[in-house]
Amino acid sequence: MDGGVAIGGRIGPNAITRMAEALDAALPAAEVDALFAAAGLAAYRRSPPERMVDEREVAALHRTLRARLPPARLEAVTREAGLRTGDYLLAHRIPRPVQALLRLLPAPLAARLLVSAIRRHAWTFAGSGAFAAWPGYPLRLAIAGCPLCRGMSAERPACGTYAATFERLFRRLVHRRARVTETACEAMGSAACVFELRWRRTD
């Protein structure tokens, strides 16, 4: 296993802004305003964050959504937020030459290089949590102290936003059939939130 511990308790603004976009696409603006107000984040509806945000704010938003949205709507919205985050990273954070190179490489090598880049930037999405990766197949990614489900109790995995972000990146840069499944979640009592990546047709 290799990994690194993210320091600090702040997360990139995508955790708020992309979720707001996903909610706006699914719900009337007044309902989204009410959700942000319930999470104590009404100010972000007036002025979306442009810098790192307190991870406790992100956790509060996810707790509020879990408490107030029907399960199917919650799953759809959190996945959409993750996909939008992946699209933003592809458009603004991963250089085009790097993307082109990864697409030319065999999937196992491209996956290893992409994981290395994710590890270097894990502090931007894991906050004070610890990111780790297990090479091999299926590839496994984990976040211990996950800020998205902190303080939650759930019967199903609660970190669909991360799963969708990882899936978008790996599908665009590693293999078009890549899929990511959250196989363990701290909200369900696990020691860490674990995501498995597969891309073989026979899986």
Side-chain angles (χ1 to χ4, degrees):
M1 182 184 77
D2 51 43
V5 177
I7 60 173
R10 302 186 73 76
I11 300 178
N14 274 314
I16 299 291
T17 56
R18 305 287 85 84
M19 182 61 78
E21 290 176 357
L23 288 166
D24 281 328
L27 299 171
E31 292 186 29
V32 182
D33 291 344
L35 289 169
F36 269 71
L41 304 177
Y44 286 149
R45 289 296 284 170
R46 298 187 297 271
S47 179
E50 297 181 355
R51 298 181 180 180
M52 303 290 283
V53 300
D54 192 317
E55 64 183 13
R56 292 172 295 183
E57 296 177 326
V58 178
L61 179 57
H62 280 261
R63 283 196 303 271
T64 299
L65 299 181
R66 183 159 295 276
R68 295 186 174 226
L69 294 181
R73 176 59 57 82
L74 174 69
E75 182 177 351
V77 166
T78 54
R79 178 171 175 79
E80 179 64 20
L83 295 176
R84 288 172 180 261
T85 298
D87 287 340
Y88 178 88
L89 297 174
L90 289 165
H92 301 286
R93 292 291 181 264
I94 304 176
R96 299 291 175 144
V98 173
Q99 294 187 38
L101 173 62
L102 289 174
R103 293 187 183 107
L104 290 173
L105 296 173
L109 178 55
R112 182 178 290 273
L113 293 175
L114 181 55
V115 167
S116 179
I118 291 172
R119 184 187 304 109
R120 289 195 302 272
H121 296 88
W123 61 276
T124 67
F125 62 84
S128 61
F131 175 82
W134 289 261
Y137 190 89
L139 177 66
R140 298 171 67 209
L141 311 175
I143 303 173
C146 178
L148 294 193
C149 65
R150 192 168 298 161
M152 291 187 196
S153 178
E155 296 181 356
R156 300 177 60 184
C159 305
T161 300
Y162 281 147
T165 300
F166 292 144
E167 187 169 281
R168 179 69 99 201
L169 294 177
F170 280 91
R171 278 193 177 182
R172 294 288 177 83
L173 301 176
V174 174
H175 198 289
R176 61 185 178 84
R177 286 197 297 268
R179 65 184 187 278
V180 175
T181 304
E182 187 177 6
T183 58
C185 186
E186 291 181 352
M188 300 173 66
S190 298
C193 297
V194 180
F195 307 86
E196 285 194 356
L197 167 72
R198 301 173 185 268
W199 61 78
R200 293 174 184 164
R201 188 184 296 275
T202 55
D203 287 336

